[in-house]
């Protein structure tokens, strides 16, 4: 047998040993991670109705909120949705979820730059917020999505104190999801979970129009 054959066998044995060591190190890391995760799970024993805020300038806030509604409905929970600002558009989520007994209260005035009528917008916001207050007081509703609510605060259409009061006095087990840009710091501080969606790029900026089934 030549020296080359001995070298090849020795290299193969070294490679196998190195691979075994890598696998062992990986296993130890994953075991440590598993232990840390389990410790977190063991500590998380409390149950309560959660307030989630999904804010930021990026696309996907309402999509995330509706995804949470769909998840709740999939688990047999009762959900309701209040839509501000974009309610004049056809809504694919509403088309689907309404078939699963999800109640929608829709402001239905569309974007404020289209209505150009502040008084009418405030009246519409007040009407739909009254229904939202009823939902937030109803223990039979497990989850309420307040889609684009943040604008109602920013534009001073609905008093922040009324929103805070309704959230604080809702049934203890009821979950609420708030979406929209520039969420007021009071709501952020109240929330149990806050996610900020940031824009990296958007097709609209490249001249591509909003498309049915993807954007609305």
């Amino acid at each position: 047998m030549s020296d080359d054959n001995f070298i090849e066998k020795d290299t193969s044995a070294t490679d196998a040993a190195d691979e075994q060591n890598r696998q062992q190190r990986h296993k130890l890391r994953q075991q440590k991670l598993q232990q840390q995760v389990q410790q977190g799970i063991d500590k998380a024993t409390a149950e309560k109705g959660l307030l989630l805020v999904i804010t930021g300038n990026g696309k996907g806030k309402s999509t995330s909120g509706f995804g949470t509604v769909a998840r709740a409905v999939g688990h047999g929970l009762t959900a309701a949705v209040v839509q501000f600002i974009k309610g004049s558009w056809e809504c694919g989520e509403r088309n689907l979820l309404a078939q699963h007994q999800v109640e929608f209260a829709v402001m239905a005035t569309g974007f404020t730059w289209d209505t150009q009528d502040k008084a009418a917008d405030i009246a519409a916001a007040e009407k739909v917020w009254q229904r939202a207050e009823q939902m937030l007081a109803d223990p039979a509703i497990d989850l309420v999505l307040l889609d684009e609510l943040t604008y109602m605060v920013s534009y001073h259409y609905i008093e922040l104190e009324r929103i805070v009061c309704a959230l604080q006095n809702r049934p203890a087990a009821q979950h609420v999801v708030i979406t929209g840009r520039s969420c007021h710091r009071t709501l952020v501080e109240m929330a149990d979970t806050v996610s900020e969606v940031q824009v990296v790029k958007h097709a609209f900026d490249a001249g591509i129009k909003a498309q049915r089934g993807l954007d609305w």
Side-chain angles (χ1 to χ4, degrees):
M1 184 177 292
S2 69
D3 290 342
D4 288 343
N5 288 334
F6 280 115
I7 292 172
E8 184 177 344
K9 286 185 176 181
D10 185 65
T11 301
S12 297
T14 301
D15 290 344
D18 288 344
E19 177 60 24
Q20 186 175 9
N21 287 335
R22 284 193 292 270
Q23 291 290 346
Q24 183 62 24
R25 289 195 299 271
H26 173 76
K27 184 176 181 179
L28 291 173
R29 286 195 301 270
Q30 295 307 108
Q31 287 175 342
K32 183 177 180 180
L33 176 60
Q34 182 187 48
Q35 184 180 29
Q36 292 172 343
V37 171
Q38 189 59 50
Q39 287 174 348
I41 292 173
D42 292 340
K43 290 179 181 178
T45 58
E47 288 190 39
K48 56 170 285 190
L50 299 181
L51 174 59
L52 281 65
V53 167
I54 307 169
T55 190
N57 295 328
K59 171 181 168 57
K61 297 180 292 295
S62 294
T63 302
S64 179
F66 277 113
T68 304
V69 173
R71 176 181 291 161
V73 171
H75 282 291
L77 301 182
T78 302
V81 176
V82 183
Q83 281 187 294
F84 302 93
I85 300 296
K86 293 185 294 191
S88 64
W89 285 30
E90 183 183 4
C91 176
E93 295 94 339
R94 187 163 70 245
N95 292 343
L96 175 64
L97 292 170
Q99 300 176 37
H100 296 273
Q101 291 72 55
V102 176
E103 180 186 351
F104 278 73
V106 184
M107 188 170 162
T109 54
F111 297 105
T112 55
W113 57 81
D114 289 328
T115 64
Q116 301 174 20
D117 187 337
K118 186 173 182 178
D121 288 344
I122 291 174
E126 171 64 26
K127 182 177 180 180
V128 78
W129 175 247
Q130 288 179 6
R131 182 65 190 112
E133 288 178 319
Q134 294 171 351
M135 292 175 176
L136 292 169
D138 188 348
I141 301 177
D142 300 303
L143 184 147
V144 178
L145 170 61
L146 302 174
D147 186 39
E148 312 285 11
L149 175 67
T150 61
Y151 295 99
M152 301 299 98
V153 179
S154 300
Y155 299 160
H156 304 289
Y157 287 2
I158 302 172
E159 292 180 1
L160 176 63
E161 290 76 12
R162 289 181 65 187
I163 296 171
V164 170
C165 182
L167 293 173
Q168 289 178 335
N169 291 290
R170 75 187 194 275
Q174 187 184 76
H175 306 298
V176 177
V177 182
I178 294 173
T179 70
R181 298 187 181 200
S182 304
C183 186
H184 194 282
R185 62 183 179 276
T186 297
L187 299 178
V188 169
E189 290 168 0
M190 287 180 63
D192 299 285
T193 299
V194 179
S195 296
E196 187 171 18
V197 181
Q198 293 298 336
V199 63
V200 176
K201 60 165 60 175
H202 198 299
F204 183 76
D205 296 330
I208 300 171
K209 69 179 183 179
Q211 299 183 60
R212 182 180 183 182
L214 184 68
D215 296 297
W216 49 278

